[in-house]
Short mmCIF file of all heavy atoms in Angstrom, two decimals:
data_model
loop_
_atom_site.label_atom_id
_atom_site.label_comp_id
_atom_site.label_asym_id
_atom_site.label_seq_id
_atom_site.Cartn_x
_atom_site.Cartn_y
_atom_site.Cartn_z
N SER A 1 105.11 72.22 105.27
CA SER A 1 104.60 72.04 103.91
C SER A 1 104.30 73.39 103.26
O SER A 1 104.42 73.54 102.04
CB SER A 1 103.34 71.16 103.92
OG SER A 1 102.23 71.84 104.48
N PHE A 2 103.93 74.37 104.08
CA PHE A 2 103.72 75.71 103.53
C PHE A 2 105.05 76.41 103.30
O PHE A 2 105.28 77.02 102.25
CB PHE A 2 102.84 76.55 104.47
CG PHE A 2 102.62 77.95 103.97
CD1 PHE A 2 101.63 78.22 103.04
CD2 PHE A 2 103.43 79.00 104.39
CE1 PHE A 2 101.44 79.50 102.55
CE2 PHE A 2 103.25 80.29 103.91
CZ PHE A 2 102.25 80.54 102.97
N VAL A 3 105.94 76.34 104.28
CA VAL A 3 107.23 77.03 104.18
C VAL A 3 107.99 76.56 102.94
O VAL A 3 108.67 77.37 102.28
CB VAL A 3 108.05 76.79 105.46
CG1 VAL A 3 109.47 77.32 105.31
CG2 VAL A 3 107.37 77.47 106.65
N THR A 4 107.89 75.28 102.61
CA THR A 4 108.61 74.73 101.46
C THR A 4 107.81 74.85 100.16
O THR A 4 108.23 74.34 99.13
CB THR A 4 108.96 73.26 101.71
OG1 THR A 4 107.77 72.52 102.00
CG2 THR A 4 109.93 73.13 102.88
N GLY A 5 106.64 75.50 100.21
CA GLY A 5 105.88 75.75 99.00
C GLY A 5 105.06 74.58 98.50
O GLY A 5 104.57 74.60 97.37
N GLN A 6 104.85 73.57 99.35
CA GLN A 6 104.12 72.40 98.90
C GLN A 6 102.62 72.52 99.09
O GLN A 6 101.86 71.72 98.53
CB GLN A 6 104.65 71.14 99.61
CG GLN A 6 106.11 70.88 99.27
CD GLN A 6 106.57 69.54 99.80
OE1 GLN A 6 106.10 68.49 99.38
NE2 GLN A 6 107.50 69.57 100.74
N VAL A 7 102.17 73.47 99.89
CA VAL A 7 100.75 73.82 99.92
C VAL A 7 100.64 75.32 99.65
O VAL A 7 101.56 76.10 99.91
CB VAL A 7 100.06 73.45 101.26
CG1 VAL A 7 100.12 71.95 101.51
CG2 VAL A 7 100.65 74.22 102.41
N ASP A 8 99.51 75.72 99.11
CA ASP A 8 99.34 77.08 98.60
C ASP A 8 98.81 78.06 99.63
O ASP A 8 98.97 79.27 99.48
CB ASP A 8 98.40 77.06 97.39
CG ASP A 8 98.98 76.29 96.22
OD1 ASP A 8 100.21 76.34 96.05
OD2 ASP A 8 98.21 75.63 95.49
N PHE A 9 98.15 77.56 100.64
CA PHE A 9 97.61 78.41 101.70
C PHE A 9 97.46 77.55 102.93
O PHE A 9 97.35 76.32 102.84
CB PHE A 9 96.27 79.04 101.31
CG PHE A 9 95.40 78.14 100.46
CD1 PHE A 9 94.69 77.10 101.02
CD2 PHE A 9 95.32 78.35 99.09
CE1 PHE A 9 93.91 76.27 100.25
CE2 PHE A 9 94.54 77.51 98.30
CZ PHE A 9 93.83 76.47 98.88
N LEU A 10 97.46 78.18 104.08
CA LEU A 10 97.45 77.39 105.31
C LEU A 10 96.90 78.22 106.45
O LEU A 10 97.16 79.43 106.56
CB LEU A 10 98.88 76.95 105.66
CG LEU A 10 99.00 75.99 106.83
CD1 LEU A 10 98.55 74.59 106.42
CD2 LEU A 10 100.44 75.93 107.34
N ARG A 11 96.12 77.57 107.30
CA ARG A 11 95.79 78.12 108.60
C ARG A 11 96.93 77.73 109.52
O ARG A 11 97.16 76.54 109.79
CB ARG A 11 94.46 77.57 109.10
CG ARG A 11 94.03 78.09 110.45
CD ARG A 11 92.55 77.98 110.59
NE ARG A 11 91.86 78.82 109.63
CZ ARG A 11 90.68 78.56 109.10
NH1 ARG A 11 90.05 77.45 109.43
NH2 ARG A 11 90.13 79.39 108.24
N VAL A 12 97.67 78.71 110.00
CA VAL A 12 98.90 78.43 110.74
C VAL A 12 98.57 77.66 112.02
O VAL A 12 97.71 78.09 112.81
CB VAL A 12 99.63 79.74 111.09
CG1 VAL A 12 100.89 79.46 111.91
CG2 VAL A 12 99.98 80.50 109.81
N PRO A 13 99.23 76.52 112.26
CA PRO A 13 99.02 75.80 113.52
C PRO A 13 99.37 76.72 114.69
O PRO A 13 100.33 77.51 114.61
CB PRO A 13 100.01 74.63 113.43
CG PRO A 13 100.25 74.45 111.96
CD PRO A 13 100.18 75.83 111.38
N PRO A 14 98.61 76.67 115.79
CA PRO A 14 98.84 77.60 116.90
C PRO A 14 100.28 77.64 117.39
O PRO A 14 100.80 78.72 117.72
CB PRO A 14 97.88 77.09 117.98
CG PRO A 14 96.79 76.42 117.23
CD PRO A 14 97.45 75.79 116.04
N GLU A 15 100.93 76.49 117.40
CA GLU A 15 102.30 76.46 117.93
C GLU A 15 103.30 77.16 117.02
O GLU A 15 104.45 77.38 117.41
CB GLU A 15 102.73 75.00 118.19
CG GLU A 15 102.79 74.10 116.97
CD GLU A 15 101.50 73.34 116.72
OE1 GLU A 15 100.42 73.90 116.99
OE2 GLU A 15 101.57 72.20 116.24
N PHE A 16 102.88 77.53 115.81
CA PHE A 16 103.77 78.22 114.88
C PHE A 16 103.32 79.65 114.59
O PHE A 16 103.85 80.30 113.68
CB PHE A 16 103.90 77.43 113.57
CG PHE A 16 104.70 76.17 113.74
CD1 PHE A 16 104.07 74.97 114.03
CD2 PHE A 16 106.08 76.18 113.64
CE1 PHE A 16 104.80 73.81 114.21
CE2 PHE A 16 106.82 75.03 113.83
CZ PHE A 16 106.19 73.82 114.12
N THR A 17 102.38 80.15 115.38
CA THR A 17 101.90 81.51 115.17
C THR A 17 103.03 82.52 115.31
O THR A 17 103.14 83.47 114.52
CB THR A 17 100.78 81.84 116.18
OG1 THR A 17 99.69 80.94 115.98
CG2 THR A 17 100.28 83.27 115.99
N ASP A 18 103.92 82.32 116.29
CA ASP A 18 105.01 83.27 116.48
C ASP A 18 106.03 83.21 115.36
O ASP A 18 106.77 84.18 115.13
CB ASP A 18 105.69 83.02 117.82
CG ASP A 18 104.80 83.38 119.00
OD1 ASP A 18 103.84 84.15 118.79
OD2 ASP A 18 105.05 82.88 120.11
N PHE A 19 106.11 82.08 114.66
CA PHE A 19 106.99 81.99 113.50
C PHE A 19 106.40 82.76 112.32
O PHE A 19 107.11 83.43 111.58
CB PHE A 19 107.19 80.53 113.08
CG PHE A 19 108.11 79.75 113.97
CD1 PHE A 19 107.65 79.17 115.13
CD2 PHE A 19 109.45 79.60 113.64
CE1 PHE A 19 108.48 78.45 115.96
CE2 PHE A 19 110.30 78.89 114.47
CZ PHE A 19 109.83 78.31 115.64
N ALA A 20 105.08 82.64 112.14
CA ALA A 20 104.43 83.26 110.98
C ALA A 20 104.13 84.73 111.20
O ALA A 20 104.27 85.54 110.26
CB ALA A 20 103.13 82.52 110.67
N ALA A 21 103.74 85.07 112.42
CA ALA A 21 103.28 86.44 112.67
C ALA A 21 103.70 86.90 114.06
O ALA A 21 102.86 87.08 114.94
CB ALA A 21 101.76 86.53 112.51
N PRO A 22 105.00 87.09 114.30
CA PRO A 22 105.42 87.57 115.62
C PRO A 22 104.84 88.95 115.89
O PRO A 22 104.92 89.86 115.05
CB PRO A 22 106.95 87.62 115.48
CG PRO A 22 107.22 87.68 114.01
CD PRO A 22 106.11 86.93 113.35
N GLY A 23 104.21 89.08 117.05
CA GLY A 23 103.58 90.35 117.38
C GLY A 23 102.39 90.69 116.52
O GLY A 23 101.95 91.84 116.48
N GLY A 24 101.84 89.68 115.83
CA GLY A 24 100.66 89.91 114.98
C GLY A 24 100.99 90.42 113.59
O GLY A 24 100.07 90.67 112.80
N LYS A 25 102.28 90.55 113.26
CA LYS A 25 102.69 91.02 111.94
C LYS A 25 103.43 89.92 111.19
O LYS A 25 104.14 89.12 111.80
CB LYS A 25 103.57 92.26 112.06
CG LYS A 25 102.85 93.46 112.68
CD LYS A 25 103.76 94.68 112.72
CE LYS A 25 103.04 95.88 113.31
NZ LYS A 25 103.91 97.09 113.36
N LEU A 26 103.28 89.91 109.88
CA LEU A 26 103.90 88.88 109.06
C LEU A 26 105.41 88.87 109.27
O LEU A 26 106.07 89.92 109.26
CB LEU A 26 103.59 89.13 107.58
CG LEU A 26 104.09 88.08 106.59
CD1 LEU A 26 103.39 86.75 106.82
CD2 LEU A 26 103.86 88.56 105.15
N ALA A 27 105.97 87.67 109.48
CA ALA A 27 107.41 87.53 109.69
C ALA A 27 108.18 88.07 108.48
O ALA A 27 107.79 87.86 107.33
CB ALA A 27 107.75 86.06 109.91
N PRO A 28 109.28 88.79 108.71
CA PRO A 28 110.03 89.39 107.60
C PRO A 28 110.46 88.41 106.52
O PRO A 28 110.42 88.73 105.33
CB PRO A 28 111.25 90.02 108.31
CG PRO A 28 110.77 90.30 109.70
CD PRO A 28 109.83 89.18 110.02
N ASN A 29 110.87 87.18 106.93
CA ASN A 29 111.31 86.21 105.92
C ASN A 29 110.17 85.80 105.02
O ASN A 29 110.37 85.55 103.81
CB ASN A 29 111.93 84.98 106.60
CG ASN A 29 110.93 84.21 107.46
OD1 ASN A 29 110.24 84.82 108.29
ND2 ASN A 29 110.85 82.91 107.27
N LEU A 30 108.94 85.75 105.54
CA LEU A 30 107.78 85.42 104.71
C LEU A 30 107.37 86.62 103.85
O LEU A 30 106.98 86.46 102.70
CB LEU A 30 106.62 84.97 105.59
CG LEU A 30 106.85 83.70 106.41
CD1 LEU A 30 105.64 83.40 107.28
CD2 LEU A 30 107.14 82.50 105.51
N ALA A 31 107.47 87.80 104.44
CA ALA A 31 107.11 89.01 103.68
C ALA A 31 108.02 89.17 102.47
O ALA A 31 107.57 89.57 101.38
CB ALA A 31 107.21 90.23 104.59
N ARG A 32 109.32 88.87 102.63
CA ARG A 32 110.25 89.00 101.50
C ARG A 32 109.89 88.06 100.36
O ARG A 32 110.16 88.34 99.19
CB ARG A 32 111.68 88.73 101.98
CG ARG A 32 112.27 89.87 102.80
CD ARG A 32 113.77 89.69 102.99
NE ARG A 32 114.09 88.50 103.77
CZ ARG A 32 114.20 88.49 105.10
NH1 ARG A 32 114.02 89.62 105.79
NH2 ARG A 32 114.51 87.37 105.73
N LYS A 33 109.26 86.94 100.69
CA LYS A 33 108.85 85.98 99.65
C LYS A 33 107.54 86.38 98.98
O LYS A 33 107.14 85.76 97.98
CB LYS A 33 108.66 84.59 100.27
CG LYS A 33 109.95 83.93 100.73
CD LYS A 33 109.63 82.54 101.29
CE LYS A 33 110.89 81.81 101.71
NZ LYS A 33 110.58 80.44 102.24
N GLY A 34 106.85 87.38 99.52
CA GLY A 34 105.56 87.78 98.96
C GLY A 34 104.38 87.09 99.56
O GLY A 34 103.25 87.20 99.06
N VAL A 35 104.59 86.37 100.67
CA VAL A 35 103.49 85.71 101.38
C VAL A 35 102.57 86.79 101.95
O VAL A 35 103.03 87.86 102.37
CB VAL A 35 104.04 84.81 102.50
CG1 VAL A 35 102.92 84.31 103.42
CG2 VAL A 35 104.80 83.63 101.90
N THR A 36 101.27 86.53 101.96
CA THR A 36 100.32 87.45 102.56
C THR A 36 99.70 86.84 103.81
O THR A 36 99.63 85.61 103.95
CB THR A 36 99.20 87.85 101.57
OG1 THR A 36 98.57 86.66 101.09
CG2 THR A 36 99.78 88.61 100.40
N LEU A 37 99.25 87.71 104.71
CA LEU A 37 98.76 87.29 106.02
C LEU A 37 97.36 87.85 106.25
O LEU A 37 97.06 88.99 105.87
CB LEU A 37 99.69 87.83 107.11
CG LEU A 37 99.24 87.70 108.57
CD1 LEU A 37 99.43 86.27 109.05
CD2 LEU A 37 100.02 88.67 109.46
N ARG A 38 96.53 87.05 106.90
CA ARG A 38 95.22 87.51 107.35
C ARG A 38 94.96 86.96 108.74
O ARG A 38 95.05 85.74 108.96
CB ARG A 38 94.12 87.04 106.39
CG ARG A 38 92.71 87.52 106.80
CD ARG A 38 91.65 86.94 105.89
NE ARG A 38 90.31 87.32 106.32
CZ ARG A 38 89.25 86.51 106.28
NH1 ARG A 38 89.37 85.28 105.81
NH2 ARG A 38 88.07 86.92 106.69
N ARG A 39 94.64 87.83 109.70
CA ARG A 39 94.30 87.42 111.07
C ARG A 39 92.89 87.90 111.38
O ARG A 39 92.53 89.05 111.09
CB ARG A 39 95.29 88.01 112.09
CG ARG A 39 96.62 87.28 112.14
CD ARG A 39 97.60 87.98 113.05
NE ARG A 39 97.19 88.04 114.43
CZ ARG A 39 97.42 87.08 115.34
NH1 ARG A 39 98.06 85.99 114.99
NH2 ARG A 39 97.03 87.23 116.58
N TYR A 40 92.10 87.05 112.01
CA TYR A 40 90.71 87.39 112.29
C TYR A 40 90.16 86.45 113.36
O TYR A 40 90.64 85.33 113.54
CB TYR A 40 89.85 87.29 111.03
CG TYR A 40 89.90 85.93 110.36
CD1 TYR A 40 88.89 84.99 110.54
CD2 TYR A 40 90.97 85.59 109.53
CE1 TYR A 40 88.94 83.75 109.93
CE2 TYR A 40 91.02 84.35 108.92
CZ TYR A 40 90.01 83.43 109.12
OH TYR A 40 90.08 82.19 108.52
N VAL A 41 89.17 86.95 114.08
CA VAL A 41 88.45 86.11 115.04
C VAL A 41 87.44 85.27 114.26
O VAL A 41 86.54 85.81 113.60
CB VAL A 41 87.74 86.95 116.11
CG1 VAL A 41 87.00 86.04 117.09
CG2 VAL A 41 88.75 87.81 116.87
N ASN A 42 87.61 83.97 114.32
CA ASN A 42 86.72 83.08 113.57
C ASN A 42 85.38 82.94 114.29
O ASN A 42 85.34 82.90 115.52
CB ASN A 42 87.37 81.70 113.41
CG ASN A 42 86.70 80.87 112.35
OD1 ASN A 42 86.51 81.32 111.23
ND2 ASN A 42 86.34 79.64 112.69
N PRO A 43 84.27 82.84 113.55
CA PRO A 43 82.97 82.61 114.20
C PRO A 43 82.84 81.15 114.64
O PRO A 43 82.14 80.35 114.02
CB PRO A 43 81.96 82.99 113.12
CG PRO A 43 82.67 82.72 111.83
CD PRO A 43 84.11 83.03 112.09
N ASP A 44 83.53 80.80 115.69
CA ASP A 44 83.54 79.41 116.15
C ASP A 44 83.57 79.36 117.66
O ASP A 44 83.59 80.39 118.35
CB ASP A 44 84.72 78.64 115.54
CG ASP A 44 86.09 79.12 116.06
OD1 ASP A 44 86.13 79.86 117.06
OD2 ASP A 44 87.12 78.75 115.47
N ARG A 45 83.59 78.16 118.19
CA ARG A 45 83.80 77.96 119.61
C ARG A 45 84.41 76.58 119.80
O ARG A 45 84.05 75.63 119.10
CB ARG A 45 82.52 78.09 120.43
CG ARG A 45 81.49 76.99 120.22
CD ARG A 45 80.54 77.31 119.11
NE ARG A 45 79.50 76.28 119.02
CZ ARG A 45 79.20 75.64 117.89
NH1 ARG A 45 79.86 75.89 116.80
NH2 ARG A 45 78.22 74.77 117.89
N THR A 46 85.38 76.50 120.70
CA THR A 46 85.93 75.21 121.08
C THR A 46 85.28 74.81 122.40
O THR A 46 84.88 75.68 123.19
CB THR A 46 87.45 75.24 121.22
OG1 THR A 46 87.81 76.07 122.33
CG2 THR A 46 88.09 75.79 119.94
N MET A 47 85.19 73.53 122.65
CA MET A 47 84.42 73.09 123.81
C MET A 47 84.86 71.72 124.29
O MET A 47 85.48 70.94 123.55
CB MET A 47 82.93 73.04 123.44
CG MET A 47 82.59 71.96 122.44
SD MET A 47 81.06 72.24 121.51
CE MET A 47 81.70 73.14 120.09
#
């Protein structure tokens, strides 16, 4: 839904992290479109 432009922003599902940010950097195909990336440790915990 994000790739096709149907949502405006998205927290990338974990299984697609390598598609969006291989090696922690924005994928070239997304960068060419002008997509921006933000990576950060969230103040959360899973349990």
Side-chain angles (χ1 to χ4, degrees):
S1 72
F2 179 83
V3 172
T4 57
Q6 297 188 65
V7 299
D8 295 326
F9 35 77
L10 187 75
R11 180 156 296 149
V12 178
E15 63 267 35
F16 288 93
T17 299
D18 291 340
F19 285 84
K25 296 182 179 180
L26 184 65
N29 63 310
L30 297 178
R32 286 192 296 271
K33 291 182 178 181
V35 170
T36 56
L37 171 77
R38 181 185 176 219
R39 282 174 63 86
Y40 56 99
V41 179
N42 195 51
D44 68 13
R45 68 271 185 232
T46 67
M47 68 202 91

